[in-house]
Amino acid sequence: MTASPDELVVITPEFKADSPNRYARLRALGPVHRARLSSGLEGWLVVSHEHARLALTHPDLRKDPTPAREALARANFTANQPGVGIGGQMLEADPPEHTRLRRLVAGAFSPRRTQQLGPRIQQIADGLIDAILPLGETDLVETFTAPLPVAVISELLGVPEAQRADFRSWTTDALSAPSARQRAASRDLNGMLAALIAGKRRAPQDDLLSALVAVRDEDDGRLAKTELVGTAVLLVIAGHETTVNLLGNSLYALFDAPGQLATLRADPSLIGEAVEEFLRFDSSVELTTPRFAAADLDLGGQRIGKGDIVVVALPSASHDLPLPDGSPDDVLDVTRTGVRHLAFGHGIHHCLGAPLARLEANIALGTLLRRLPGLRPSGPLAEIPWTPGGMMRGPLTLPVRFDTP
């Protein structure tokens, strides 16, 4: 753990497992710190709310990696490249490309269209519960919190069920620290989606991928081939990996505060506001994708040089916001209202799928509490492993017990 604002923060698996406490100590030392990320990249880590919002909208902190090309090459960092990573899409683009790409997808994630997915999400959730209810115990990550978002985003995109089995491992590995496994997963995911898109071009259906193919083919090439595949990769990853961990983090927080679990079980009407509290308390996206300094700038008392890499710790920024009731930020309260957070980012890259994530979390948590009476962890919470690297935060397993009918 860093002892002064000038020491290098190293994001290790141990750091990530204890990240809420580590970020609290960093905030006490200063808003911006030198850091070595689990990707191997060295840059700047922003931990305060004020400077997170500034970094997320600063005109000289861009997604164009050109100023940092040499540093990326030394670290063998390919995660932001089209075809071998998650590049070629709006999250890794600056305006005007970002504006164009986001506009093409935005309609599919409007609040109105998202709400129309509610009955189907409920049907999927109930089907998963039907399968585990007689067992009395299960790993919720394996049997519920992972397969639910995978099924939802797959149906939205039009991915055949037979091709969904590898999504979870591919996306998890693609977001992990750079390695041969990470690069292979990224290539496999890109390749599978490119083949699926080719099939949609031959035989379009009523799904989002077919609609995006039509945009490319019928609208004067506004969506290039690499952008089409990159957008599909983003939708697969962001459309389920974030929700898997949102659900896992929410359940872990409830198991760690059984009184809050009892409160939510007794009054399910609290779930909507409770989801905002979960997003504040332990959000699933721990670190943003890198931004690159296009010019020298000052941030939080630190001199950021041209070409330097900057990432924002979103959960830390959320915990740097005063709570409406003035209570400590490390206390979970599912009855709290008016919660603010940066779990979905800020500025032009604010998460497009936020309405869908909220809807899935509301339905999933409500279904679990209603249909699995006596839901409780089956072992010590301290033994649950956490995502060891990359930008996500979440439990890798959630072994539980519950009462059977």
Side-chain angles (χ1 to χ4, degrees):
M1 181 62 215
T2 189
S4 78
D6 298 322
E7 291 189 17
L8 185 72
V9 178
V10 182
I11 308 296
T12 61
E14 293 76 20
F15 182 107
K16 287 182 66 66
D18 187 41
S19 64
N21 294 321
R22 303 291 182 103
Y23 288 128
R25 296 171 199 163
L26 287 173
R27 288 196 302 275
L29 294 170
V32 181
H33 299 265
R34 264 283 179 192
R36 180 183 299 123
L37 308 175
S38 56
S39 62
L41 295 175
E42 289 197 10
W44 298 96
L45 177 67
V46 182
V47 297
S48 77
H49 174 257
E50 175 188 355
H51 295 90
R53 288 173 64 93
L54 180 59
L56 293 172
T57 56
H58 199 291
D60 287 328
L61 291 177
R62 303 176 61 82
K63 292 305 184 84
D64 179 1
T66 301
R69 184 172 293 161
E70 291 183 6
L72 298 177
R74 285 195 302 270
N76 198 18
F77 185 83
T78 59
N80 62 341
Q81 295 180 13
V84 294
I86 59 171
Q89 38 78 15
M90 58 186 148
L91 185 61
E92 298 303 315
D94 298 308
E97 289 79 9
H98 169 271
T99 308
R100 173 175 56 86
L101 292 169
R102 188 177 178 103
R103 185 173 59 245
L104 295 174
V105 183
F109 292 94
S110 68
R112 182 183 62 82
R113 292 195 66 177
T114 296
Q115 286 300 319
Q116 294 173 350
L117 298 172
R120 179 56 183 149
I121 296 172
Q122 184 64 68
Q123 187 178 31
I124 295 169
D126 282 327
L128 293 170
I129 295 294
D130 289 342
I132 64 178
L133 186 57
L135 304 177
E137 61 181 0
T138 191
D139 173 7
L140 281 180
V141 173
E142 180 182 350
T143 62
F144 189 84
T145 67
L148 173 65
V150 168
V152 172
I153 195 62
S154 294
E155 290 194 5
L156 182 63
L157 291 172
V159 179
E161 191 166 354
Q163 293 180 275
R164 301 174 191 174
D166 293 320
F167 268 11
R168 173 65 176 151
S169 61
W170 281 346
T171 57
T172 299
D173 289 342
L175 291 172
S176 64
S179 65
R181 182 173 179 176
Q182 180 263 336
R183 288 185 285 273
S186 296
R187 286 193 299 269
D188 288 344
L189 181 61
N190 275 268
M192 188 276 282
L193 287 170
L196 184 61
I197 287 167
K200 300 290 184 183
R201 178 169 286 110
R202 292 190 297 269
Q205 298 173 317
D206 184 20
D207 55 56
L208 181 54
L209 276 187
S210 296
L212 291 174
V213 169
V215 167
R216 167 170 164 75
D217 290 347
E218 298 172 9
D219 202 356
D220 197 27
R222 283 200 302 155
L223 196 62
K225 181 179 179 180
T226 55
E227 294 172 338
L228 178 56
V229 176
T231 297
V233 170
L234 173 66
L235 293 174
V236 167
I237 293 178
H240 91 271
E241 189 70 29
T242 54
T243 308
V244 172
N245 292 301
L246 168 58
L247 295 176
N249 292 349
S250 301
L251 290 164
Y252 184 96
L254 288 173
F255 293 152
D256 197 37
Q260 296 298 302
L261 176 58
T263 297
L264 202 56
R265 184 180 282 123
D267 187 358
S269 70
L270 297 172
I271 289 177
E273 289 286 356
V275 168
E276 301 306 312
E277 172 71 346
F278 295 136
L279 286 162
R280 178 200 73 84
F281 190 74
D282 199 2
S283 56
S284 57
V285 180
E286 182 173 335
L287 300 172
T288 62
T289 55
R291 282 162 171 77
F292 308 97
D296 294 344
L297 61 113
D298 291 317
L299 186 66
Q302 301 284 11
R303 183 65 171 172
I304 312 297
K306 181 179 180 180
D308 281 2
I309 294 163
V310 176
V311 297
V312 176
L314 295 174
S316 181
S318 294
H319 277 265
D320 196 38
L321 279 164
L323 291 169
D325 56 8
S327 60
D329 66 86
D330 59 350
V331 174
L332 179 75
D333 183 356
V334 297
T335 69
R336 185 176 284 131
T337 59
V339 170
R340 295 185 298 153
H341 56 76
L342 289 184
F344 294 121
H346 174 65
I348 64 170
H349 292 288
H350 182 272
C351 178
L352 191 63
L356 179 59
R358 287 184 166 106
L359 179 63
E360 288 188 62
N362 273 269
I363 292 174
L365 294 172
T367 304
L368 284 168
L369 296 180
R370 184 179 69 253
R371 297 202 55 198
L372 296 182
L375 181 64
R376 58 199 182 274
S378 61
L381 291 178
E383 295 180 3
I384 289 178
W386 290 82
T387 308
M391 61 185 291
M392 294 293 172
R393 172 171 165 80
L396 298 179
T397 63
L398 272 177
V400 299
R401 292 194 178 99
F402 45 88
D403 303 333
T404 56

